[in-house]
Amino acid sequence: MAIDRRRETAGGGPGRLPPAAEENGALPPGDAAASAPLGGRAGPGGGGDIQPLPAPHAAGGPHPSLLLLDYDGSVLPFLGGLGGGYQKTLVLLTWIPALFIGFSQFSDSFLLDQPNFWCRGAGKGAESAGVTATGQWGGGELANGTSPPTTLFPTAAWATAGPLGNGSGADGGEAPPLPSPPDKGDNASNCDCHAWDYGIRTGLVQNVVSKWDLVCDNAWKVHVAKFSLLVGLIFGYLITGCIADWFGRRPVLLFSIIFILVFGLTVALSVNVTMFSTLRFFEGFCLAGVTLTLYALRIELCPPGKRFMITMVASFVTTAGQFLMPGLAALCRDWQVLQALIICPFLLMLLYWSIFPESLRWLMATHQFESAKKLILHFTQKNRMNPENDIKGVMPELEKELSRRPRKVCIVKVVGTRNLWKNIVVLCVNSLTGFGIHHCFARSMMGHEVKVPLLEDFYADYYAAAGIALASCLAMCLAVRFLGRRGGLLLFMILTALASLLQLGLLNLIGKYSQHPDSGMSDNVKDKFSITFSIVGMFASHAVGSLSVFFCAEITPTVIRCGGLGLVLASAGFGMLTAPIIELHNQKGYFLHHVIFACCTLICIICLLLLPESRGQSLPESIADGEHYTRQPLLPPRRGEQPLLPTHAELKDYSGLHDAAAAGDGLPDGATANGGRPM
C-alpha cells in the first residue's frame, strides 16, 4: 500500500532529516540508539543528551560530515583536548585579563563614593562633633562577573550626604535621616556654602564627588554617573554578542581592547561630570565586549569535564581584583591616577592580536572549514603533533568539505525554536532576579537601618561583600560537583527565596512583638536576624547569578553562544541597574522592590525544572542540537517504569492505522477496516 511505501521512505535513506523537536525532549528509541557512538554522553547526574546529528553526506550535500560536527568527540581529542600545551596557554591567557576586569568592575565604589563633607572654614572638628551628617555606605551590587559576571558588575556604595542641620547631633548612636530629593531643595547650613571640605573614606585624597562638588543640589549627578557604566555594559552585551556570532570572537575581543584603552584613559582626563558619565558609558560598552568574548572563548576551548573548573578559576581571579582594589586606591591617592592604572594593563592585551587565534569550535560550527583547516594545522604545529596520527580521519573529512559555504546565524533565529528560547528566557529571569535581589540583601546588611559599629566602616563593608562573594564561589564548586548545574542552581535559588521571605516576614513579626515590654525582644535581636538573613541572601543570590550565566553558556549552541550570553548578562545588568535608580529616588520604593524580587524567586524555582542538565555533555553546535537538548527529571525513574505519555515516534508509528491499511486489501467492497459497513 501507499502507506507502507511512505513509511519505508521515511524510515531510512541517507537524506533523512532529524525529527522535529518535542516539547518534553524525548528521543525516539531508534534514533537514541543510533546516536550513542557520537552523540552527547550521559553525565554523572543522569542529564540529557543531544539528539542525533544528520547522517553523513557527500561533499556539497545539505549537511557536512557527522565527524566534523562532533567537535567534542572527534576534533578536540585529535588536538589533544586540554592536555595540549598550546591549549593550556590559551586558557591561561583568558584568566589573566579577569584581574583587569575585576578592577574595572569595582572601580565605582572608589571613584564615586560619597564622602563626609562640611563647609570650608568650619574645620574638620565640626564633623566629629556631629555638625555633619552622612548616610552610611550600603554596599552596592558587589557580585563576581564570570559570573557573572560572577558578577558581575557592582554599583557604587549606598551613601548620601545629608544636610548639616538634619544631623543626629551629639547622639552618635542614631543613624541620620536620609536627605531630601534634589528637586525639593534643602536650605540647611552646609548646602548654603559655596565651597566644602571632604573626608574621603576610600584611601583617595580626591575622587569624582570632591573634584566637582557633587553634593546637595548636585548629588543626583553621582547616581547618573553610577548607572552610566551599567547602561554601557547592558548595550555592550547585547550588541557585541550578536557581532561576535557573525564576525567571530577574535575581532570583537581585539577591537574592544583598543577602544577600552581609548575611552578608559580619556575618562581620567574628564573636565566635568557630564564628560565623565558619557565616557564611562562607552568604557562599559567596550568592557562588555572583552568580558563576553573571553567567557565564550574559555568555554569553547575546554572539554566537557573541565568547563566549570576553568570558568571558576576566572571567577576567583576576578574576586582577587576586588580584594586588591583598596590597595590600589591607597597607592594612587587620586582618582585620575587610579583610573589610568586600572586601564593601562589592557595594553598587554594588544599582544593577543598575534597570540590568540579565532575559536576553532565556532569556525567548525559555522562551516568555515578552510580557516578551520589552517587553525588545526597551527594547533598541531604548536603542540608538536604529527597530523598523520589522525585515527578518526578528521583531516580527510575536512578536505572534502573545503568548498562548502559558511553558514552564520544570528540570535534572532532562536525565536523560531520550540525549546531553546524557553531555556534562555528562564536563565535570563534567573540572572535578573539573582543580581537584582543581591542589592536588597546588601542594603539590609549595610544600610542605615542596621546600627552595627563594625558595618559603619567602608573597608568592613567592602571586604564583607568581597568575602561573601568568595565563599559563594567556593560553595558553587561543591554544589555543582555533587548536584550538577540544574540541581545546584535550584538549591541556591531556594536559599535565596527563603532568606528573602524570612527577612520580609519574620523581621516584621519580630519588630511587632519587640514593642511589647514583656516580649523579651529588642531591636538588637531584629538587627542580628537581619544581618544573618542578609548574609545568606547575598551568598545565595551571588551563586544564582553566576550559575545562570554559566548554564546559558553551556546550553546555547555555538553558532549563537555569544548572543545568548549577551542576553543573560544584559539581564544581570538590568538587575543591578535597579540599585542606582532607587538611590536616585532617595530609596523610595525599596520595600516594593524587595517584594517583587522575592516573588520572582518563587517563579524561578518552578521554571528551573524546565531546564536540561548539561553536566558532562558535549556543547551543542547548531540550533538543531540546542533544540534537541533533552530535559530529564531531577530524580531518576524507577526500573521498569513506563512513561506516562507516548513519544513522538510512538504517535507517528500508530499501529492501528497500519493494520487497518493492511487489512483493507482483503475486505469485500463496502466494508470498513473494523468490519462495519457504511450507512
Side-chain angles (χ1 to χ4, degrees):
M1 291 293 294
I3 295 179
D4 295 317
R5 289 193 296 272
R6 286 196 298 268
R7 288 171 54 80
E8 292 173 0
T9 302
R16 181 169 63 94
L17 296 176
E22 286 305 304
E23 184 72 21
N24 59 359
L27 276 171
D31 289 343
S35 65
L38 292 174
R41 296 174 296 278
D49 298 327
I50 297 178
Q51 288 274 14
L53 296 170
H57 292 265
H63 301 283
S65 171
L66 175 63
L67 192 67
L68 300 180
L69 295 178
D70 185 22
Y71 187 89
D72 285 319
S74 301
V75 181
L76 195 58
F78 168 62
L79 298 176
L82 202 58
Y86 188 53
Q87 288 91 312
K88 292 180 179 178
T89 302
L90 294 179
V91 170
L92 179 62
L93 290 176
T94 65
W95 286 342
I96 296 175
L99 183 66
F100 313 150
I101 293 172
F103 292 154
S104 297
Q105 289 174 359
F106 300 98
S107 60
D108 271 358
S109 298
F110 298 86
L111 299 179
L112 295 170
D113 178 63
Q114 291 189 336
N116 300 331
F117 67 97
W118 56 93
C119 291
R120 184 167 296 173
K124 192 173 181 179
E127 177 193 8
S128 59
V131 178
T132 300
T134 60
Q136 295 178 348
W137 185 79
E141 298 300 322
L142 292 177
N144 190 349
T146 56
S147 185
T150 148
T151 33
L152 282 187
F153 305 106
T155 61
W158 185 91
T160 49
L164 292 179
N166 292 339
S168 57
D171 187 4
E174 290 293 328
L178 293 173
S180 303
D183 56 343
K184 291 184 179 180
D186 201 315
N187 296 321
S189 57
N190 65 333
C191 286
D192 291 336
C193 303
H194 298 286
W196 296 268
D197 289 326
Y198 299 90
I200 302 177
R201 307 169 297 165
T202 59
L204 296 173
V205 175
Q206 185 185 60
N207 67 356
V208 174
V209 178
S210 61
K211 171 75 173 179
W212 292 302
D213 293 329
L214 303 182
V215 294
C216 297
D217 291 340
N218 291 323
W220 62 273
K221 296 180 181 179
V222 178
H223 305 299
V224 174
K226 287 178 184 179
F227 66 71
S228 63
L229 180 68
L230 285 174
V231 173
L233 286 168
I234 292 172
F235 280 96
Y237 287 136
L238 295 175
I239 296 175
T240 59
C242 296
I243 297 175
D245 285 332
W246 197 261
F247 295 100
R249 284 72 164 123
R250 184 171 177 264
V252 174
L253 174 63
L254 296 176
F255 278 102
S256 297
I257 292 170
I258 293 173
F259 284 107
I260 197 175
L261 287 170
V262 173
F263 291 115
L265 292 177
T266 312
V267 167
L269 304 177
S270 300
V271 296
N272 53 48
V273 67
T274 303
M275 180 179 177
F276 175 86
S277 300
T278 304
L279 291 174
R280 287 285 279 182
F281 170 85
F282 291 106
E283 180 188 349
F285 188 98
C286 300
L287 183 64
V290 175
T291 305
L292 185 143
T293 50
L294 286 175
Y295 202 105
L297 286 168
R298 199 178 296 125
I299 291 287
E300 293 172 355
L301 277 170
C302 302
K306 304 292 184 181
R307 289 194 298 258
F308 186 73
M309 179 194 71
I310 297 300
T311 303
M312 289 310 301
V313 171
S315 297
F316 287 123
V317 175
T318 305
T319 307
Q322 182 178 357
F323 276 98
L324 292 175
M325 269 301 295
L328 287 180
L331 180 66
C332 295
R333 307 293 292 170
D334 186 81
W335 74 270
Q336 293 174 308
V337 179
L338 177 62
Q339 172 67 18
L341 186 62
I342 289 172
I343 297 298
C344 282
F346 286 100
L347 287 169
L348 300 176
M349 295 187 67
L350 293 176
L351 300 175
Y352 282 35
W353 182 270
S354 58
I355 298 176
F356 215 96
E358 183 56 84
S359 170
L360 178 59
R361 188 187 293 269
W362 177 77
L363 291 174
M364 299 289 286
T366 53
H367 301 174
Q368 302 181 64
F369 296 118
E370 183 72 32
S371 301
K373 177 186 174 183
K374 297 178 182 178
L375 189 54
I376 289 177
L377 294 176
H378 179 69
F379 269 79
T380 56
Q381 180 183 1
K382 289 289 185 179
N383 291 328
R384 299 180 181 179
M385 298 171 55
N386 187 1
E388 297 180 358
N389 297 333
D390 186 6
I391 301 177
K392 294 188 176 182
V394 174
M395 295 304 292
E397 290 292 336
L398 193 59
E399 292 286 349
K400 299 177 184 178
E401 306 288 348
L402 293 180
S403 60
R404 187 176 296 276
R405 296 182 59 184
R407 292 183 59 185
K408 299 178 181 179
V409 185
C410 184
I411 186 63
V412 295
K413 291 288 185 181
V414 79
V415 178
T417 61
R418 191 173 183 180
N419 296 320
L420 185 58
W421 74 270
K422 298 177 185 177
N423 296 337
I424 295 178
V425 168
V426 168
L427 291 173
C428 286
V429 176
N430 274 270
S431 179
L432 172 68
T433 303
F435 284 101
I437 203 171
H438 188 87
H439 167 72
C440 300
F441 292 121
R443 182 183 178 275
S444 297
M445 185 176 74
M446 299 178 244
H448 66 284
E449 72 273 18
V450 180
K451 296 87 176 178
V452 180
L454 179 62
L455 297 179
E456 293 179 1
D457 180 71
F458 171 82
Y459 292 106
D461 292 345
Y462 185 85
Y463 282 116
I468 291 172
L470 179 61
S472 179
C473 292
L474 294 173
M476 276 193 292
C477 296
L478 296 176
V480 172
R481 172 69 178 83
F482 293 103
L483 301 177
R485 276 67 159 153
R486 183 175 59 167
L489 186 55
L490 184 62
L491 171 65
F492 288 116
M493 184 59 78
I494 292 174
L495 288 177
T496 304
L498 287 176
S500 181
L501 294 176
L502 288 174
Q503 192 171 54
L504 290 173
L506 183 60
L507 293 184
N508 288 334
L509 185 63
I510 293 176
K512 178 181 178 181
Y513 281 100
S514 62
Q515 298 176 359
H516 299 282
D518 299 334
S519 63
M521 296 184 180
S522 62
D523 290 338
N524 189 31
V525 175
K526 179 182 177 181
D527 292 341
K528 290 180 178 179
F529 272 109
S530 178
I531 293 174
T532 303
F533 293 144
S534 298
I535 291 175
V536 174
M538 292 176 66
F539 169 86
S541 60
H542 178 273
V544 166
S546 301
L547 271 179
S548 298
V549 176
F550 175 75
F551 208 163
C552 179
E554 283 198 320
I555 68 174
T556 306
T558 301
V559 291
I560 56 170
R561 178 162 294 119
C562 286
L565 269 175
L567 289 175
V568 175
L569 288 171
S571 300
F574 275 114
M576 291 185 288
L577 193 61
T578 59
I581 291 177
I582 289 182
E583 292 171 10
L584 182 62
H585 291 279
N586 202 24
Q587 305 300 326
K588 292 180 180 178
Y590 160 75
F591 182 78
L592 181 61
H593 172 212
H594 197 169
V595 170
I596 292 174
F597 278 116
C599 295
C600 289
T601 59
L602 301 178
I603 298 174
C604 290
I605 291 174
I606 300 174
C607 293
L608 281 175
L609 301 176
L610 302 175
L611 298 176
E613 176 56 60
S614 60
R615 180 172 61 172
Q617 304 299 316
S618 300
L619 290 177
E621 306 298 340
S622 64
I623 290 184
D625 297 341
E627 181 69 359
H628 291 83
Y629 218 84
T630 61
R631 182 180 70 252
Q632 297 290 341
L634 286 175
L635 300 177
R638 297 178 182 178
R639 182 176 299 178
E641 183 178 353
Q642 298 295 326
L644 297 178
L645 296 176
T647 63
H648 178 70
E650 292 171 348
L651 290 173
K652 195 168 64 174
D653 191 24
Y654 181 54
S655 59
L657 179 61
H658 180 271
D659 295 341
D665 295 337
L667 291 176
D669 295 339
T672 58
N674 61 359
R677 293 182 178 274
M679 299 299 294

